[in-house]
């Protein structure tokens, strides 16, 4: 059997009497100088069952000024990073169809031979050369000769015009009428369709040393950082066709990563350049991966404070070094004094009372500090 116990505040506290609430339940009113009247109902059932379960909320310490109402706690939604725009999924590097260079050279030679034969057929060769070669007389120049000239000339131009030399570490991105037709990574003499548009791409392992870029240390002080980026083009189709300028995009990604990652100057104690290198490499690799670039390392090679704070930070570092040196010297002096006094007393060389011990410790400390302070 559950009972409900009500407590009636004394009249001296300025509380009003209980007022009847809906359903016959008693409602309690809270009223003072800074708040309005707020009904507070007892959260129990009239029957003998268990009380109503009410979810508890975090306590609020402050009240809204002027109205006496407690502010509502609004949970801030987590900040979600917008994903990078995806490149066309069909734009993936694939090998292009090319022929060995011998096929193009043979076609060009056939075209030249066809042009010579058509010249003899049209009677354009000197008569002395025709008689010396023992060739029959020509038939004259007509529409058939024109067609033979056009065909032989087109074959020769098509054969020799498609010859190309593939080099190690270089590739061609081929496109025909605005459509990607493949990538050529083969080396040696090749024959490529002369109608396609060729774009040369450097696919070797490359390194880029940046200019001084703005950054900040873990304390928010302005820095100037020079980084060395080791990278290469992994997917030529996405790097050339999926983005306007992949080298400029890499530069912007490095600058954006430096704005997000604190870089500690040399001699720091929070991970130094190694932690910054790992974090910068990971961020830049994530940003440039969708556009076909592969980043191996983004390493700060020179870190210095900005000109506006360089003098102040230099004085601060000198003061810190001086403080560490003084602390180290003091610890060494104390250890030396303690070791000397302990040896003298343990071996029984001297018998000291408290006053004499203090005097000896003082004299030894002054002597050791004076000796260590003299320049060598």
């Amino acid at each position: 059997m559950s009972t409900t116990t009500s407590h009636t505040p004394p009249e001296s506290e300025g509380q009003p009497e209980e007022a009847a609430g809906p359903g016959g339940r008693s409602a309690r009113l809270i009223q003072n100088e800074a708040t309005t009247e707020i009904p507070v109902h007892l959260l129990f059932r009239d029957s003998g069952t268990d009380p109503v379960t009410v979810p508890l909320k975090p306590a609020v310490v402050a009240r809204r000024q002027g109205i006496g109402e407690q502010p509502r706690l609004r949970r801030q939604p987590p900040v979600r990073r917008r994903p990078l725009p995806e490149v066309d999924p069909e734009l993936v590097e694939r090998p292009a169809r090319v022929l060995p260079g011998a096929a193009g050279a043979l076609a060009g030679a056939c075209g030249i031979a066809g042009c010579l034969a058509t010249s003899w057929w049209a009677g354009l060769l000197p008569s002395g050369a025709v008689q010396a070669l023992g060739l029959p007389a020509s038939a004259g120049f007509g529409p058939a000769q024109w067609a033979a000239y056009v065909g032989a000339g087109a074959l020769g131009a098509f054969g020799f015009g498609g010859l190309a030399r593939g080099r190690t570490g270089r590739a061609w991105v081929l496109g025909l009428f605005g459509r990607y037709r493949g990538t050529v990574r083969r080396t040696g003499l090749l024959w490529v369709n002369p109608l396609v548009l060729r774009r040369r791409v450097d696919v070797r392992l490359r390194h880029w040393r940046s200019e001084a870029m703005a950054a900040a240390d873990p304390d928010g002080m302005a820095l100037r950082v020079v980084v060395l980026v080791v990278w290469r083009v992994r997917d030529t189709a996405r790097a050339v066709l999926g983005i306007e300028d992949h080298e400029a995009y890499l530069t912007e990604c490095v600058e954006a990563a430096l704005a997000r990652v604190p870089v500690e100057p040399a001699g720091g104690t929070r991970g130094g350049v190694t932690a910054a290198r790992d974090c910068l490499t990971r961020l830049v690799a994530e940003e440039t991966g969708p556009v076909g670039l592969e980043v191996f390392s983004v390493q700060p090679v020179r870190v210095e404070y900005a000109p506006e704070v360089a003098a102040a930070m230099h004085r601060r570092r000198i003061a810190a070094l001086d403080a560490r040196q003084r602390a180290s010297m003091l610890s060494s002096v104390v250890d030396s004094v303690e070791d000397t006094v302990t040896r003298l007393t343990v071996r029984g060389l001297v018998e000291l009372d408290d006053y004499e011990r203090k005097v000896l410790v003082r004299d030894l400390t002054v002597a050791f500090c004076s000796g260590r302070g003299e320049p060598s």
Side-chain angles (χ1 to χ4, degrees), residues 88 91 94 174-181 195-197 199 241:
D88 186 3
L91 191 61
R94 60 178 182 272
L174 307 183
L176 182 61
F177 305 120
R179 185 178 179 183
Y180 173 62
R181 304 301 298 176
L195 299 180
V196 299
L197 177 64
R199 298 185 181 181
L241 304 178

Side-chain angles (χ1 to χ4, degrees), residues 178-193:
R179 185 178 179 183
Y180 173 62
R181 304 301 298 176
T183 299
V184 179
R185 288 180 178 259
R186 296 171 56 180
T187 58
L189 187 61
L190 305 172
W191 183 86
V192 184
N193 186 354

